Amino acid sequence: MGLEKQHELRIAQLNFIGKVLSVFTHELNNHLAIIKESAGLLEDIMKFQKAQDKESLAESLKTIYAVEAQVSKSAWLIKNLNSFGHRMDKPVTSFSINECIEELLILLNRLLNQRRVTAEKRFQENLPLMDGDPAMAQLLIFCLINECLGKIGEEGRIILETGYIKGLIRIIIKPEGSLKAGPVDLFCQEAPPEHIALLLGGSITRDNGGVSVLLPLMQDMG
Amino acid sequence: MKPVKVLIVDDEIEFATTLAERLRLRGYDAKAVYCAEDTFAIAKSDTPDILLLDLRMPGMSGLEILMTVREFAPNIKVILLTGHIDLEEKIEGIRISNFDYLMKPVDINELTEKIDKAVGKQSNVG
């Protein structure tokens, strides 16, 4: 791969990371806002209701549980961001494509919610692990999800299907619902999904608004 | 003196309900709704003094909700909620046009100050 192509891919990857971080931090900020309000309510109950009667005690306990649940949820979200960050530790490692997609969907949850679009996972269980660059695979999946979002109207669905066929990992990503006509909305013009798939040693075919990706189990890093 | 009516509009249900409860404890008549449709219904039937509105809502954005509400309640006072720093410039423009805004997470004392200030402005105008 030439220096120029590498540079374009690096820019696409940085844009992708920036997008994931902005969507995710917005969601996390909302979780922190809920935690702050719940803790504030607890403080208010103690401040405004001088005697801790049975009713206010029950309300206080309910609020404490809500704070705990929200902290657990936020910690789980952060765990996924942490894992996303570690995907970039090594250019070649063993990874599960299902886990990569799952993680991406968690981080992009708000982006889909904002568009009232749901993601439906149809993952084949016990897929063999892949050897390659998981961060690049996530960039590819993200570009294809982004394309779907460009085609789909509100209340639509994005189907994400994985499978193992003839020694290759197959990923199908297709929009469902009211679809808009028009050109494909590329996340990064300079690094289209076809180029990224090629870099992973795979290929892409487009059909009826959906995309089918075939990736080898072992990415050729030569 | 009638309590100030506050309508909180935010798709984060826990956030909106908890904030409404905290405002009620402070003597405000606060309600929470989580979508545009309920906002319009309440704003028409029992117009609040203050609309506390999240900018980023699924489907219809906060600003679109605001424009629709303003059609039948032109004097309603609005405080916009945002978690986005990059919207500050836009909000600054809106603020000049008699709006106010708050960043999430919200400071309850700052919020009540803004509500009281907005209501004071309204009564001066009225």
Side-chain angles (χ1 to χ4, degrees):
Chain A
M1 188 168 51
L3 272 178
E4 202 178 324
K5 273 274 161 272
Q6 273 186 34
H7 178 67
E8 284 166 356
L9 204 61
R10 178 60 67 190
I11 294 212
Q13 206 167 16
L14 286 175
N15 288 343
F16 160 58
I17 294 165
K19 183 77 183 173
V20 167
L21 288 180
S22 63
V23 169
F24 179 83
T25 49
H26 189 119
E27 173 143 26
L28 198 63
N29 196 47
N30 281 338
H31 284 268
L32 293 176
I34 295 167
I35 293 167
K36 190 171 190 289
E37 287 316 310
S38 301
L41 178 59
L42 200 57
E43 188 187 328
D44 287 352
I45 291 167
M46 289 169 179
K47 207 190 294 176
F48 288 100
Q49 297 169 351
K50 284 166 191 152
Q52 281 282 310
D53 53 26
K54 252 186 175 178
E55 203 179 315
S56 58
L57 186 66
E59 205 178 340
S60 301
L61 284 172
K62 198 177 135 198
T63 310
I64 290 169
Y65 296 146
V67 171
E68 283 174 355
Q70 208 62 38
V71 168
S72 300
K73 207 170 169 184
S74 304
W76 175 75
L77 284 170
I78 289 169
K79 185 179 138 284
N80 279 282
L81 183 67
N82 180 269
S83 171
F84 172 76
H86 280 300
R87 299 272 181 208
M88 290 153 221
D89 286 353
K90 295 176 193 167
V92 180
T93 186
S94 294
F95 66 94
S96 150
I97 194 69
N98 286 352
E99 281 178 14
C100 275
I101 299 173
E102 176 93 51
E103 184 181 283
L104 199 54
L105 290 175
I106 290 165
L107 297 177
L108 296 175
N109 181 47
R110 187 171 174 83
L111 186 69
L112 300 177
N113 278 349
Q114 284 297 115
R115 301 282 309 276
R116 288 184 174 171
V117 168
T118 52
E120 188 178 316
K121 291 171 286 177
R122 294 179 188 168
F123 292 170
Q124 183 180 318
E125 284 179 18
N126 304 317
L127 279 181
L129 293 179
M130 295 173 70
D131 283 299
D133 184 347
M136 203 57 76
Q138 283 184 321
L139 171 61
L140 173 62
I141 304 297
F142 169 75
C143 289
L144 297 172
I145 290 174
N146 192 62
E147 271 185 38
C148 279
L149 281 173
K151 289 175 194 165
I152 212 164
E154 280 195 3
E155 314 285 345
R157 283 192 306 169
I158 298 177
I159 312 291
L160 296 111
E161 193 180 315
T162 59
Y164 183 58
I165 293 155
K166 293 177 185 168
L168 297 168
I169 296 286
R170 188 179 72 178
I171 307 157
I172 296 173
I173 301 178
K174 58 183 176 190
E176 273 190 9
S178 59
L179 302 186
K180 300 173 200 162
V184 173
D185 183 19
L186 291 177
F187 175 68
C188 179
Q189 296 289 338
E190 290 76 22
E194 280 75 3
H195 287 195
I196 303 167
L198 205 62
L199 194 77
L200 291 161
S203 62
I204 283 182
T205 43
R206 295 174 189 274
D207 182 27
N208 295 330
V211 180
S212 177
V213 183
L214 287 173
L215 296 174
L217 285 183
M218 194 158 311
Q219 186 184 327
D220 179 10
M221 298 307 291
Chain B
M1 195 176 162
K2 272 188 171 180
V4 177
K5 284 193 273 186
V6 181
L7 182 62
I8 302 164
V9 184
D10 198 312
D11 62 307
E12 295 288 343
I13 297 171
E14 293 97 331
F15 173 79
T17 48
T18 311
L19 192 56
E21 178 64 29
R22 295 191 75 194
L23 287 175
R24 281 196 292 272
L25 282 169
R26 283 166 174 77
Y28 297 91
D29 177 7
K31 284 182 186 144
V33 289
Y34 322 111
C35 64
E37 293 76 20
D38 290 347
T39 310
F40 302 146
I42 291 192
K44 274 180 187 165
S45 63
D46 185 22
T47 308
D49 301 302
I50 300 281
L51 193 64
L52 190 60
L53 185 60
D54 184 22
L55 264 181
R56 292 286 175 109
M57 301 270 290
M60 209 177 216
S61 76
L63 288 180
E64 287 169 326
I65 293 174
L66 176 57
M67 281 190 280
T68 308
V69 169
R70 276 268 156 104
E71 284 172 17
F72 53 84
N75 295 324
I76 200 166
K77 296 288 170 184
V78 178
I79 298 172
L80 294 170
L81 285 173
T82 179
H84 270 298
I85 306 279
D86 61 350
L87 284 171
E88 272 189 334
E89 274 186 14
K90 285 182 191 173
I91 291 167
E92 180 59 23
I94 296 163
R95 197 179 63 79
I96 293 162
S97 322
N98 207 15
F99 291 73
D100 213 337
Y101 77 97
L102 263 181
M103 298 287 285
K104 278 186 184 177
V106 170
D107 181 301
I108 192 80
N109 295 324
E110 196 183 347
L111 173 62
T112 53
E113 269 174 32
K114 282 183 186 289
I115 291 173
D116 295 344
K117 192 177 152 198
V119 174
K121 269 184 193 170
Q122 191 179 36
S123 55
N124 288 342
V125 173

